[in-house]
Amino acid sequence: MKQNNTKLEKSPSESQAEVIVRMFPSDANPAGNVFGGEILKHIDMVAGIVAQRHAQSNAVTVSMDSVNFIKPVFVGNVLKLNARINYVHNSSMEIEVRAEAEDIVTGIRTVTGTAFVTFVALDKKGKPKHVPRLALKSDEDRKKFEEGKIRMEKRLKSRKKSI
């Protein structure tokens, strides 16, 4: 018999993820700048890890917003992505991702981008399913939750207008 380990509540730290990827010439334009789309792919991937860890099920990307490319990432840099869950509502989850580039030779690290990615958890039939609530253990967790709630409400209003 299979045991169900799904929790009713999880803290953001239980689902956070960090991914480190080396950037190669195939990831960049002729000038050596990594394509924004390549960075977005990695943002979506690390955010998906967080969403699936939290939901303990399949989760799909619903929206990617507030994507900011602050500084360029270059060929040879290591791209480090840190992701955490900020907000949950029924089946949806907001994941915040921070991208940082490291020049391995100099050791200099630079924040290169940020994004908020919304996922929806799906059951085995592909239908939205409820996810665990967030256990808000710190002032930062509570602050990010409230900010995420405001962003989610704006997303829902915007989505209704565009339909």
Side-chain angles (χ1 to χ4, degrees):
M1 185 195 248
K2 201 173 186 182
Q3 186 177 2
N4 184 350
N5 290 329
T6 305
K7 294 181 176 182
L8 296 176
E9 192 173 80
K10 287 177 151 180
S11 69
S13 64
E14 290 179 77
S15 303
Q16 69 186 16
E18 178 179 278
V19 171
I20 299 173
V21 185
R22 184 81 181 260
M23 296 290 100
F24 291 98
S26 60
D27 302 321
N29 65 24
N33 295 60
V34 174
F35 293 120
E38 186 66 25
I39 296 167
L40 287 174
K41 176 179 84 171
H42 292 293
I43 287 171
D44 191 37
M45 189 242 336
V46 72
I49 291 169
V50 172
Q52 290 182 351
R53 275 183 176 166
H54 185 78
Q56 292 184 275
S57 70
N58 187 25
V60 294
T61 309
V62 173
S63 71
M64 190 178 283
D65 56 77
S66 299
V67 177
N68 294 295
F69 295 109
I70 301 163
K71 300 270 184 173
V73 179
F74 300 105
V75 169
N77 284 166
V78 169
L79 181 65
K80 180 178 168 188
L81 300 145
N82 287 294
R84 63 164 279 143
I85 189 164
N86 286 338
Y87 178 76
V88 300
H89 178 76
N90 294 327
S91 61
S92 63
M93 300 163 277
E94 181 195 81
I95 315 300
E96 180 179 3
V97 181
R98 176 183 157 112
E100 190 176 90
E102 178 185 352
D103 181 319
I104 297 177
V105 175
T106 65
I108 295 171
R109 293 181 181 175
T110 307
V111 174
T112 59
T114 59
F116 294 101
V117 189
T118 302
F119 279 79
V120 167
L122 301 176
D123 64 18
K124 291 180 181 173
K125 294 179 181 178
K127 301 292 182 198
K129 68 169 259 190
H130 282 276
V131 296
R133 293 183 306 272
L134 275 181
L136 306 173
K137 297 187 178 203
S138 70
D139 288 340
E140 181 184 11
D141 290 347
R142 287 183 279 282
K143 179 180 178 228
K144 288 187 175 286
F145 183 88
E146 288 304 318
E147 292 170 349
K149 182 178 181 182
I150 292 166
R151 282 188 295 272
M152 189 68 75
E153 289 167 353
K154 286 180 182 176
R155 279 184 210 106
L156 291 172
K157 283 181 186 174
S158 175
R159 186 172 294 135
K160 285 178 183 174
K161 286 180 184 176
S162 66
I163 295 178

